[in-house]
Amino acid sequence: MEVKTKTMGTVSIDEKQIVEFPHGLFGFEDYHRYAVIEAEYQPFYWLQSLDESSLAFIMVDPFLIVADYELDIDDKTLLEIGLDSPQDVILFSIVTIPADGGPVTANLQGPVVINRRNNQALQVILSDSRWTTKHNIIKALKSKENK
């Protein structure tokens, strides 16, 4: 399938890369279909809207940033996307790269949860005060190296 992207022009993707957000993302509730595409720079991925080519998010595996990252999500929420086994979870955090040169941050408070079996996804809000929407990635990686 050919997909017009925000940053890479038109790319070819496999159907397995398409994820469906029944409720959309917070602030983007009208957009439900996205493709997960490897970014040019690892370990990042693009979450590219299939409904609006100018809408895309950079994502990263939060465990690469914070080794002790924990999620407390109730089972009822996870069942909305058919998740009943931790082995079926793919987890990402949305990354913000400020235009003003400020710190690159990851939203650890609002992770993206994907069910690898059916490609249904949702964004959840965690109540744990350790996780913020603007977790400084570089600072976290330096802290992780010093441990």
Side-chain angles (χ1 to χ4, degrees):
M1 172 180 187
E2 298 293 309
V3 174
K4 187 175 179 198
T5 69
K6 179 178 179 177
T7 61
M8 299 177 290
T10 300
V11 298
S12 182
I13 65 161
D14 189 286
E15 292 286 326
K16 291 182 275 188
Q17 292 174 261
I18 298 173
V19 294
E20 175 89 25
F21 288 81
H23 308 291
L25 294 166
F26 293 107
F28 301 91
E29 289 83 1
D30 293 338
Y31 303 98
H32 301 274
R33 296 181 59 223
Y34 292 83
V36 176
I37 304 169
E38 280 190 38
E40 180 181 349
Y41 300 104
Q42 291 302 309
F44 298 100
Y45 289 83
W46 284 102
L47 184 63
Q48 173 64 55
S49 171
L50 299 179
D51 303 313
E52 174 54 59
S53 62
S54 67
L55 180 62
F57 303 92
I58 298 175
M59 303 188 304
V60 69
D61 178 341
F63 293 102
L64 295 176
I65 301 164
V66 182
D68 63 345
Y69 188 57
E70 294 178 328
L71 290 91
D72 186 20
I73 306 170
D74 68 84
D75 292 342
K76 183 180 174 192
T77 299
L78 294 175
L79 284 174
E80 289 178 28
I81 59 170
L83 255 174
D84 54 12
S85 170
Q87 288 79 20
D88 294 329
V89 172
I90 300 172
L91 195 64
F92 287 107
S93 290
I94 294 176
V95 173
T96 301
I97 302 173
D100 67 4
V104 176
T105 61
N107 181 351
L108 298 182
Q109 188 178 35
V112 170
V113 181
I114 301 171
N115 181 339
R116 76 171 75 234
R117 277 188 306 106
N118 64 12
N119 285 10
Q120 293 290 297
L122 53 80
Q123 184 179 24
V124 295
I125 300 296
L126 303 177
S127 58
D128 190 327
S129 62
R130 290 180 294 170
W131 316 127
T132 67
T133 59
K134 301 252 183 242
H135 196 88
N136 186 317
I137 292 175
I138 303 302
K139 189 175 174 183
L141 290 176
K142 284 182 180 175
S143 169
K144 195 173 169 184
E145 285 176 7
N146 294 332
K147 288 185 178 181

